[in-house]
Amino acid sequence: MKKIYGLLFLSMVLCMACEFKFKPNENDDQNTPIEVKRYDRLESRYLTTGDFSALQEMNTEYPLETRTLIEKVLQIGTVDDPEISTKFLRFYQDSTLQSLITNCETEYANMDDINQQLNDAFDQLQKWLPDLPRPMVYTQITSLDQSIIIGEKTIGISLDKYMGENYPLYKKYYTYEQMKTMTRKYIVPDCLSFYLLSLYPMENFDSRPQLEKDLHMAKVLWVVNEAMGIQFFKSKYTALVSRYMHRHPATTIAQLLTLDDYHDFT
């Protein structure tokens, strides 16, 4: 169950989501199919060729995503800085980052499988949670900073964190256990789990016992398993949640996610 970003990362992401607003979906139709928006391609075009029209499109079509990338993720300045376009371009001129950008675009030239998995999972989740907002999902390249960024009805996927467990660059910075989670197959489960965690946060998280924190996380991961039809996340805590649901067959998914009493889980 432990991921490279851990609970500290989760807290940071949720705080970021509260700190600023992403643009909501223009179409609020709950049945609108999800198609990942390829923000990373505009980013790649500017950072590898200096094509200023790509940067202009980033700013006009994805203003909040661009602000988030520059100010919150990379932390290289503010978008209002007259020199920010130069700083942004210069930041990625390192040969390692240039290779990373190129590799990401090659590895993720096609994301039809990700689109299909996201749609299948959200179709199932909305059967259990009819009011669940269907998010806008986009991709970006963040220089190994963060994996998933959650905003208001948005999910940002950092492709550079999902290049595969054998990606040579990872060996310099991550353990083998961490690298095993940095693969394509983790993208959709990570999107779902962090999105649900943002919608069903734990009250008084910092003051809660560690066991309750683990069980709260496990509830979400168990729901993700059920939505995907695969036992993707496995731990003693997800096993406890599974046992609880078998003992309480009348409990709905919505009730499970909002349940705040964990005494009957152990």
PDB file of all heavy atoms in Angstrom, residues 193-205:
ATOM      1  N   SER A 193      -7.314   6.479  -6.620  1.00  0.00           N
ATOM      2  CA  SER A 193      -7.153   6.520  -5.166  1.00  0.00           C
ATOM      3  C   SER A 193      -6.961   7.942  -4.659  1.00  0.00           C
ATOM      4  O   SER A 193      -7.596   8.353  -3.673  1.00  0.00           O
ATOM      5  CB  SER A 193      -5.989   5.628  -4.720  1.00  0.00           C
ATOM      6  OG  SER A 193      -4.783   5.981  -5.358  1.00  0.00           O
ATOM      7  N   PHE A 194      -6.149   8.735  -5.346  1.00  0.00           N
ATOM      8  CA  PHE A 194      -5.935  10.105  -4.890  1.00  0.00           C
ATOM      9  C   PHE A 194      -7.160  10.988  -5.127  1.00  0.00           C
ATOM     10  O   PHE A 194      -7.439  11.894  -4.339  1.00  0.00           O
ATOM     11  CB  PHE A 194      -4.684  10.706  -5.537  1.00  0.00           C
ATOM     12  CG  PHE A 194      -3.435  10.298  -4.821  1.00  0.00           C
ATOM     13  CD1 PHE A 194      -2.752   9.158  -5.185  1.00  0.00           C
ATOM     14  CD2 PHE A 194      -2.955  11.036  -3.752  1.00  0.00           C
ATOM     15  CE1 PHE A 194      -1.619   8.763  -4.513  1.00  0.00           C
ATOM     16  CE2 PHE A 194      -1.818  10.652  -3.069  1.00  0.00           C
ATOM     17  CZ  PHE A 194      -1.143   9.509  -3.447  1.00  0.00           C
ATOM     18  N   TYR A 195      -7.877  10.711  -6.203  1.00  0.00           N
ATOM     19  CA  TYR A 195      -9.094  11.480  -6.453  1.00  0.00           C
ATOM     20  C   TYR A 195     -10.137  11.193  -5.372  1.00  0.00           C
ATOM     21  O   TYR A 195     -10.756  12.108  -4.822  1.00  0.00           O
ATOM     22  CB  TYR A 195      -9.643  11.140  -7.834  1.00  0.00           C
ATOM     23  CG  TYR A 195     -10.762  12.051  -8.296  1.00  0.00           C
ATOM     24  CD1 TYR A 195     -10.561  13.423  -8.427  1.00  0.00           C
ATOM     25  CD2 TYR A 195     -12.024  11.543  -8.612  1.00  0.00           C
ATOM     26  CE1 TYR A 195     -11.591  14.262  -8.858  1.00  0.00           C
ATOM     27  CE2 TYR A 195     -13.045  12.371  -9.045  1.00  0.00           C
ATOM     28  CZ  TYR A 195     -12.819  13.730  -9.163  1.00  0.00           C
ATOM     29  OH  TYR A 195     -13.842  14.557  -9.587  1.00  0.00           O
ATOM     30  N   LEU A 196     -10.333   9.924  -5.051  1.00  0.00           N
ATOM     31  CA  LEU A 196     -11.290   9.559  -4.001  1.00  0.00           C
ATOM     32  C   LEU A 196     -10.851  10.089  -2.641  1.00  0.00           C
ATOM     33  O   LEU A 196     -11.683  10.543  -1.841  1.00  0.00           O
ATOM     34  CB  LEU A 196     -11.468   8.040  -3.948  1.00  0.00           C
ATOM     35  CG  LEU A 196     -12.253   7.418  -5.098  1.00  0.00           C
ATOM     36  CD1 LEU A 196     -12.239   5.900  -4.991  1.00  0.00           C
ATOM     37  CD2 LEU A 196     -13.692   7.934  -5.128  1.00  0.00           C
ATOM     38  N   LEU A 197      -9.569  10.047  -2.367  1.00  0.00           N
ATOM     39  CA  LEU A 197      -9.073  10.580  -1.096  1.00  0.00           C
ATOM     40  C   LEU A 197      -9.329  12.080  -0.983  1.00  0.00           C
ATOM     41  O   LEU A 197      -9.570  12.600   0.109  1.00  0.00           O
ATOM     42  CB  LEU A 197      -7.584  10.294  -0.944  1.00  0.00           C
ATOM     43  CG  LEU A 197      -7.227   8.866  -0.524  1.00  0.00           C
ATOM     44  CD1 LEU A 197      -5.743   8.599  -0.748  1.00  0.00           C
ATOM     45  CD2 LEU A 197      -7.598   8.613   0.927  1.00  0.00           C
ATOM     46  N   SER A 198      -9.282  12.784  -2.101  1.00  0.00           N
ATOM     47  CA  SER A 198      -9.561  14.220  -2.058  1.00  0.00           C
ATOM     48  C   SER A 198     -11.036  14.495  -1.798  1.00  0.00           C
ATOM     49  O   SER A 198     -11.391  15.514  -1.203  1.00  0.00           O
ATOM     50  CB  SER A 198      -9.121  14.888  -3.370  1.00  0.00           C
ATOM     51  OG  SER A 198     -10.001  14.578  -4.434  1.00  0.00           O
ATOM     52  N   LEU A 199     -11.889  13.587  -2.240  1.00  0.00           N
ATOM     53  CA  LEU A 199     -13.330  13.764  -2.060  1.00  0.00           C
ATOM     54  C   LEU A 199     -13.820  13.203  -0.730  1.00  0.00           C
ATOM     55  O   LEU A 199     -14.871  13.627  -0.221  1.00  0.00           O
ATOM     56  CB  LEU A 199     -14.087  13.081  -3.208  1.00  0.00           C
ATOM     57  CG  LEU A 199     -13.841  13.651  -4.608  1.00  0.00           C
ATOM     58  CD1 LEU A 199     -14.527  12.797  -5.655  1.00  0.00           C
ATOM     59  CD2 LEU A 199     -14.321  15.092  -4.694  1.00  0.00           C
ATOM     60  N   TYR A 200     -13.082  12.256  -0.180  1.00  0.00           N
ATOM     61  CA  TYR A 200     -13.444  11.633   1.092  1.00  0.00           C
ATOM     62  C   TYR A 200     -12.255  11.713   2.055  1.00  0.00           C
ATOM     63  O   TYR A 200     -11.660  10.695   2.419  1.00  0.00           O
ATOM     64  CB  TYR A 200     -13.867  10.174   0.878  1.00  0.00           C
ATOM     65  CG  TYR A 200     -15.104  10.038   0.021  1.00  0.00           C
ATOM     66  CD1 TYR A 200     -15.004   9.864  -1.364  1.00  0.00           C
ATOM     67  CD2 TYR A 200     -16.375  10.100   0.585  1.00  0.00           C
ATOM     68  CE1 TYR A 200     -16.133   9.752  -2.156  1.00  0.00           C
ATOM     69  CE2 TYR A 200     -17.509   9.992  -0.191  1.00  0.00           C
ATOM     70  CZ  TYR A 200     -17.388   9.815  -1.560  1.00  0.00           C
ATOM     71  OH  TYR A 200     -18.511   9.711  -2.349  1.00  0.00           O
ATOM     72  N   PRO A 201     -11.900  12.928   2.454  1.00  0.00           N
ATOM     73  CA  PRO A 201     -10.755  13.085   3.362  1.00  0.00           C
ATOM     74  C   PRO A 201     -11.095  12.616   4.776  1.00  0.00           C
ATOM     75  O   PRO A 201     -12.264  12.527   5.153  1.00  0.00           O
ATOM     76  CB  PRO A 201     -10.500  14.596   3.323  1.00  0.00           C
ATOM     77  CG  PRO A 201     -11.853  15.186   3.057  1.00  0.00           C
ATOM     78  CD  PRO A 201     -12.542  14.217   2.125  1.00  0.00           C
ATOM     79  N   MET A 202     -10.075  12.335   5.523  1.00  0.00           N
ATOM     80  CA  MET A 202     -10.250  11.937   6.921  1.00  0.00           C
ATOM     81  C   MET A 202     -10.249  13.179   7.801  1.00  0.00           C
ATOM     82  O   MET A 202      -9.335  13.996   7.731  1.00  0.00           O
ATOM     83  CB  MET A 202      -9.106  11.005   7.336  1.00  0.00           C
ATOM     84  CG  MET A 202      -9.255  10.443   8.722  1.00  0.00           C
ATOM     85  SD  MET A 202      -7.893   9.315   9.119  1.00  0.00           S
ATOM     86  CE  MET A 202      -8.756   8.137  10.167  1.00  0.00           C
ATOM     87  N   GLU A 203     -11.272  13.306   8.615  1.00  0.00           N
ATOM     88  CA  GLU A 203     -11.346  14.451   9.520  1.00  0.00           C
ATOM     89  C   GLU A 203     -10.267  14.350  10.594  1.00  0.00           C
ATOM     90  O   GLU A 203      -9.963  13.265  11.077  1.00  0.00           O
ATOM     91  CB  GLU A 203     -12.734  14.523  10.164  1.00  0.00           C
ATOM     92  CG  GLU A 203     -13.847  14.841   9.181  1.00  0.00           C
ATOM     93  CD  GLU A 203     -15.180  15.056   9.878  1.00  0.00           C
ATOM     94  OE1 GLU A 203     -15.188  15.110  11.137  1.00  0.00           O
ATOM     95  OE2 GLU A 203     -16.203  15.170   9.187  1.00  0.00           O
ATOM     96  N   ASN A 204      -9.708  15.493  10.928  1.00  0.00           N
ATOM     97  CA  ASN A 204      -8.687  15.556  11.987  1.00  0.00           C
ATOM     98  C   ASN A 204      -7.552  14.566  11.727  1.00  0.00           C
ATOM     99  O   ASN A 204      -7.088  13.873  12.635  1.00  0.00           O
ATOM    100  CB  ASN A 204      -9.311  15.291  13.354  1.00  0.00           C
ATOM    101  CG  ASN A 204     -10.449  16.234  13.662  1.00  0.00           C
ATOM    102  OD1 ASN A 204     -10.317  17.450  13.498  1.00  0.00           O
ATOM    103  ND2 ASN A 204     -11.578  15.686  14.095  1.00  0.00           N
ATOM    104  N   PHE A 205      -7.118  14.535  10.471  1.00  0.00           N
ATOM    105  CA  PHE A 205      -6.132  13.545  10.047  1.00  0.00           C
ATOM    106  C   PHE A 205      -4.878  13.549  10.932  1.00  0.00           C
ATOM    107  O   PHE A 205      -4.408  12.487  11.366  1.00  0.00           O
ATOM    108  CB  PHE A 205      -5.747  13.802   8.586  1.00  0.00           C
ATOM    109  CG  PHE A 205      -4.729  12.852   8.044  1.00  0.00           C
ATOM    110  CD1 PHE A 205      -5.108  11.632   7.517  1.00  0.00           C
ATOM    111  CD2 PHE A 205      -3.368  13.172   8.058  1.00  0.00           C
ATOM    112  CE1 PHE A 205      -4.161  10.748   7.016  1.00  0.00           C
ATOM    113  CE2 PHE A 205      -2.424  12.298   7.558  1.00  0.00           C
ATOM    114  CZ  PHE A 205      -2.820  11.085   7.037  1.00  0.00           C
TER     115      PHE A 205
END
